[in-house]
Amino acid sequence: MSRKVSREKYEKTVSYRLKQWYEGTKDPFLGEVEMKSQKAFSEDVNAKGKRMREKKRMLARIYDTGNNAEMKIFAKFYRVSSVLFCVLLVFMLLTAVSWLPTFGEPDNPVNNEVAARYIENGLQETGAINIVTGMILDYRAFDTLGESHVLFIATCAVLILLRLDKSTKGSHGMGYDMEEDRLYEPKNDVILQTVARILVPPIVIFGIYVILGGHLGPGGGFSGGAVIGAGLILYVNAFGFAKTERFFNEKTYKRLSFCALGCYCMSKCYSFYTGANHIESVIPLGTPGAILSSGLILVLNICVGLVVAGTMYTFYVMFRKGAY
């Protein structure tokens, strides 16, 4: 049976050094060189001015913008092309405006057969009582898919621009510390937490109701997802990230968004083969007014709601502290 040794004796053994070498945790300069704290560099004002003057003089000698013929020709061409482009753009816009229909004419596009088709045949062709939902999730379902992808891409852009590195701790660095999560929030505010406990469940349930009933009445994925996102934001303000990340974190958002967008795309890919109007799809519309009706509109509403709720919460998280 081996005898337990102290930490100091263990760090002097060959096995400990071999472990450090294998894991790459040994600092070869630690204790081997004399280390001094560096002072912050501050350049003298006169030296900085002299250096900037020398830099300008060097650039003037290299490029010689005042006597360079190519630079002069390019500058003239740039000015002339800019003016021509602006004149051409104004001409195109004025021409397009001149061809617009006269306001108030009965044959204007606003009064064409498309709107009449939505109103007269929307219920029969989409199975949705809500005409707006039938329009955006059936007639214009691919456009709504693009809008959902725009939300996802916007979230990715915000993540890239505002994300902080979790490896660097401290609010003064380029990262954050989970212990400072609620530094700028009410700490254990009894009123806020009590109100959140009462309101968050009804808010989330109401958001789910708005999503599921989007094809039966006012509502849908966008509005229901916004309601659920507001509930998540209220919860994280009341209880902080430590409790919120138990059920919703960065991985959860990525998986929900990927699955929702993939499900949306796969659900509507049949339109590539069946076409739009005048060709029957293979998805039954069901009985109008029932919860399980209107074909795949219910599924598409759920997908859109998940994307919108996650996007709202992620935007708030990134702008608040730069990380989940």
Side-chain angles (χ1 to χ4, degrees):
M1 187 173 181
S2 60
R3 181 169 59 88
K4 185 176 181 180
V5 297
S6 61
R7 180 70 180 181
E8 292 77 8
K9 291 183 179 180
Y10 173 65
E11 291 179 353
K12 296 179 181 179
T13 59
V14 179
S15 59
Y16 178 74
R17 296 175 182 174
L18 181 62
K19 178 183 177 183
Q20 281 187 315
W21 172 81
Y22 177 76
E23 296 179 350
T25 57
K26 178 176 174 54
D27 187 356
F29 300 103
L30 186 61
E32 302 295 337
V33 296
E34 183 179 1
M35 303 182 68
K36 297 182 179 179
S37 57
Q38 299 292 329
K39 295 182 179 180
F41 175 74
S42 59
E43 188 176 8
D44 184 63
V45 178
N46 296 328
K48 183 178 180 181
K50 182 179 179 181
R51 179 171 59 82
M52 296 302 295
R53 289 192 296 269
E54 291 178 353
K55 182 178 179 181
K56 291 180 179 179
R57 192 180 303 114
M58 180 187 66
L59 293 176
R61 290 179 180 178
I62 294 175
Y63 296 103
D64 192 15
T65 56
N67 300 320
N68 193 328
E70 294 182 359
M71 292 291 295
K72 290 182 178 180
I73 294 174
F74 176 79
K76 293 180 180 179
F77 173 77
Y78 180 79
R79 295 188 184 98
V80 173
S81 60
S82 300
V83 173
L84 292 177
F85 175 78
C86 292
V87 171
L88 179 62
L89 180 61
V90 171
F91 175 76
M92 293 174 60
L93 292 175
L94 292 176
T95 304
V97 171
S98 66
W99 283 94
L100 290 176
T102 306
F103 181 77
E105 292 293 329
D107 57 345
N108 283 351
V110 72
N111 300 320
N112 61 13
E113 67 276 2
V114 177
R117 177 62 177 253
Y118 290 162
I119 297 174
E120 296 173 1
N121 301 330
L123 178 61
Q124 179 182 357
E125 293 179 350
T126 66
I129 297 178
N130 188 349
I131 299 177
V132 177
T133 301
M135 179 182 65
I136 65 176
L137 291 179
D138 193 284
Y139 294 114
R140 297 174 56 246
F142 284 110
D143 180 68
T144 306
L145 176 62
E147 294 173 2
S148 300
H149 277 83
V150 166
L151 291 175
F152 180 72
I153 295 172
T155 308
C156 294
V158 173
L159 283 169
I160 294 171
L161 294 174
L162 300 181
R163 181 179 176 83
L164 296 181
D165 188 7
K166 293 183 179 181
S167 61
T168 306
K169 294 185 177 182
S171 59
H172 300 288
M174 293 302 294
Y176 72 95
D177 189 356
M178 291 300 295
E179 295 179 357
E180 300 179 357
D181 173 62
R182 304 186 60 200
L183 182 62
Y184 303 104
E185 295 179 354
K187 298 180 180 179
N188 299 323
D189 192 307
V190 178
I191 298 177
L192 179 60
Q193 292 182 354
T194 304
V195 172
R197 288 191 182 97
I198 297 174
L199 292 182
V200 170
I203 289 175
V204 175
I205 293 174
F206 180 70
I208 296 174
Y209 162 75
V210 172
I211 294 175
L212 297 182
H215 59 294
L216 305 177
F222 287 102
S223 52
V227 173
I228 296 177
L232 293 175
I233 293 173
L234 174 60
Y235 188 88
V236 75
N237 275 289
F239 301 102
F241 268 61
K243 291 187 177 180
T244 309
E245 286 195 346
R246 294 177 182 177
F247 59 90
F248 198 97
N249 52 25
E250 183 180 0
K251 293 182 179 179
T252 306
Y253 168 70
K254 291 179 179 178
R255 291 169 182 171
L256 283 178
S257 297
F258 177 78
C259 293
L261 294 174
C263 179
Y264 192 115
C265 186
M266 294 298 294
S267 300
K268 289 302 295 181
C269 68
Y270 74 92
S271 297
F272 284 116
Y273 306 100
T274 60
N277 283 323
H278 307 297
I279 298 180
E280 297 293 335
S281 66
V282 297
I283 308 299
L285 299 179
T287 304
I291 185 66
L292 298 177
S293 62
S294 66
L296 289 174
I297 290 181
L298 176 61
V299 178
L300 302 183
N301 260 329
I302 295 174
C303 295
V304 173
L306 292 176
V307 174
V308 173
T311 301
M312 281 190 58
Y313 178 73
T314 303
F315 276 176
Y316 174 78
V317 169
M318 291 295 108
F319 280 100
R320 176 188 157 215
K321 62 181 297 184
Y324 272 94

